[in-house]
Amino acid sequence: MNKSSSLFALFMIASIPSHAADEPLWEAGLGIATVYLPDYRGSNHSRGYALPMPYFIYRGDFFKEPLPEADVLVMGRILHDWDLDEKRMLLDKAYKALPDGGALIVYESIIDDDRRENAFGLLMSLNMLIETPGGFDYTGADCRGWMEEAGFRDTYVEQLLGPDSMVVGFK
């Protein structure tokens, strides 16, 4: 790995899947996250660190079942697969699954509000239009609006590394 790959690289060490065929499947595991940090502020040298990172994956059908209750829900590269009505339905389900004060984090290659800067996000939207029946990528303002319609408050957009951004909303 190089310095630019400061995003997480996960390697599954252990997992515990559910065995009941009629229940949502869960997977709990332990992975490794790598992060590169400079030796000191202003340094041209950095070191890589490997950190243990537990994870939980819900493998249920979010169209047929309610979302699991949690303090924080993350939808990574999920909403862009679906049409507008399905996007709104998933955001409504997320709102219902969260406790008061809970948070939803949506991350994708979110298109900038002016639709001029994030070429990757625009191309990803074109790709979703080709590969899915109704999927499309969207701007941060679009996602914030849909989240607010579902009841979320204090929504904001934050740029991540590369073309990705996240939209955060609180119940």
Side-chain angles (χ1 to χ4, degrees):
M1 297 196 134
N2 58 37
K3 288 186 230 181
S4 66
S5 59
S6 61
L7 291 177
F8 298 132
L10 297 177
F11 303 96
M12 186 168 68
I13 296 173
S15 67
I16 308 164
S18 168
H19 296 290
D22 58 345
E23 294 181 17
L25 298 177
W26 285 89
E27 179 179 308
L30 181 64
I32 297 173
T34 59
V35 63
Y36 287 86
L37 300 171
D39 289 343
Y40 55 89
R41 185 177 289 178
S43 173
N44 290 331
H45 298 89
S46 64
R47 296 175 196 224
Y49 299 90
L51 306 169
M53 183 174 175
Y55 66 87
F56 298 91
I57 298 173
Y58 175 71
R59 299 191 185 277
D61 184 337
F62 50 57
F63 285 114
K64 294 180 182 175
E65 303 161 6
L67 295 180
E69 293 180 8
D71 291 334
V72 177
L73 290 173
V74 178
M75 291 187 181
R77 306 203 193 293
I78 291 178
L79 291 182
H80 75 166
D81 288 340
W82 311 107
D83 67 32
L84 184 54
D85 290 338
E86 291 164 321
K87 284 174 173 55
R88 286 182 166 139
M89 181 269 303
L90 291 171
L91 293 171
D92 285 339
K93 282 187 163 196
Y95 186 82
K96 290 174 184 168
L98 291 167
D100 287 340
L104 172 63
I105 300 171
V106 174
Y107 76 87
E108 314 225 27
S109 297
I110 294 173
I111 300 168
D112 59 287
D113 291 343
D114 293 331
R115 297 181 178 268
R116 296 179 190 270
E117 300 294 322
N118 190 353
F120 186 85
L122 291 165
L123 290 171
M124 180 59 76
S125 188
L126 177 61
N127 185 55
M128 297 315 296
L129 290 168
I130 294 168
E131 290 188 6
T132 65
F136 62 92
D137 281 74
Y138 44 86
T139 67
D142 291 335
C143 189
R144 289 182 67 203
W146 303 327
M147 290 172 85
E148 289 166 4
E149 287 173 11
F152 289 95
R153 59 180 170 71
D154 300 328
T155 62
Y156 65 92
V157 179
E158 187 167 321
Q159 177 70 41
L160 302 173
L161 293 176
D164 292 341
S165 297
M166 66 179 179
V167 182
V168 180
F170 297 91
K171 181 172 179 179

